[in-house]
Amino acid sequence: MTNSELMYFPSASITMEETFPTTIHINDIMNKAVVKAIQNAKNNSFNKKDVFYPEIVKIEILVPNKVLRFTFRYGTQIKTICNDEDVFDFDFAIYLAYSKLINSDKFTKEGIEYKAHEMKYRKRWIKKVKEAKKLFKQQETERIKKEKEEKERAAARKRQAEKKARKKKERKERELKALAEKIKNVE
């Protein structure tokens, strides 16, 4: 049946005419690449060490008051995005990152958000969020310090280049004056 026929027969169902092979041969199972792909799918791309020992080592602001990226100790990265209708809350973004890390294989998006709200009442997670906020403040002060130092270095390089250009100009003027004196003395 085509789509136009389905409009007139709403109780009709669409069936696939093409069949897809669903059998797996023993050679495919023994293939290490296939086994590795299955294991990676089971792991859900999260490092198990991060799930058991979650510790944030880096927080990046990708879009201010909207998107944050959290990097955990063993390399897992999680991105949190604030919806347009929600108010951005930095603390909740951290709770959400932890919740995504731990619960993503067990819960839906709504369940992960529920678990993040639940984490707000547990001392362990409150402590981890405080540590993450402290880490973020340290990272921000280091970033500001580096930017300030880079600006100072750029200003110093600019001053040195101006000084060098000025000295070069003065040297050329002295050489021209000396040459003009020699020409006067020859005449």
Side-chain angles (χ1 to χ4, degrees), residues 10-182:
S11 62
S13 62
I14 299 174
T15 58
M16 299 282 292
E17 293 179 11
E18 296 180 26
T19 59
F20 295 101
T22 56
T23 57
I24 299 175
H25 298 287
I26 192 72
N27 293 337
D28 293 337
I29 292 173
M30 297 310 232
N31 187 350
K32 290 181 182 180
V34 172
V35 172
K36 199 171 203 177
I38 291 170
Q39 288 173 344
N40 286 341
K42 283 183 182 178
N43 291 342
N44 199 16
S45 75
F46 289 130
N47 191 331
K48 291 221 182 268
K49 288 182 181 178
D50 273 336
V51 173
F52 294 124
Y53 308 104
E55 182 184 333
I56 294 174
V57 293
K58 187 176 182 183
I59 301 173
E60 298 171 88
I61 297 177
L62 302 179
V63 178
N65 295 332
K66 180 95 172 143
V67 182
L68 298 173
R69 182 181 6 194
F70 299 89
T71 305
F72 289 86
R73 183 187 334 166
Y74 295 103
T76 305
Q77 290 188 341
I78 292 182
K79 202 184 296 185
T80 59
I81 302 169
C82 181
N83 289 336
D84 292 332
E85 61 271 1
D86 291 339
V87 176
F88 179 77
D89 183 8
F90 188 73
D91 290 356
F92 185 69
I94 299 170
Y95 284 115
L96 191 59
Y98 279 122
S99 182
K100 273 185 175 183
L101 178 71
I102 294 168
N103 300 312
S104 66
D105 58 338
K106 301 175 226 167
F107 294 100
T108 63
K109 289 180 184 179
E110 293 80 14
I112 291 170
E113 190 172 338
Y114 174 77
K115 286 293 188 180
H117 282 289
E118 219 176 65
M119 285 177 163
K120 289 181 179 181
Y121 302 108
R122 298 190 183 235
K123 289 182 180 180
R124 174 185 182 203
W125 297 112
I126 292 171
K127 183 179 176 183
K128 288 207 171 276
V129 168
K130 284 182 183 177
E131 290 171 0
K133 286 170 54 177
K134 185 177 178 182
L135 172 76
F136 179 71
K137 286 181 183 176
Q138 288 174 348
Q139 287 176 348
E140 283 299 301
T141 54
E142 287 175 14
R143 183 185 61 81
I144 290 169
K145 186 178 176 182
K146 285 181 182 178
E147 286 177 0
K148 184 178 177 182
E149 288 175 357
E150 185 59 36
K151 285 181 183 177
E152 289 174 358
R153 280 192 219 115
R157 283 192 298 263
K158 184 179 177 183
R159 284 192 307 268
Q160 287 175 352
E162 289 172 353
K163 184 177 178 181
K164 189 176 181 181
R166 188 179 64 242
K167 285 191 174 191
K168 187 176 182 181
K169 184 179 176 184
E170 289 173 356
R171 186 174 26 126
K172 283 190 176 188
E173 287 177 3
R174 277 183 290 181
E175 289 174 0
L176 284 173
K177 283 182 183 178
L179 187 61
E181 286 294 322
K182 285 183 179 179

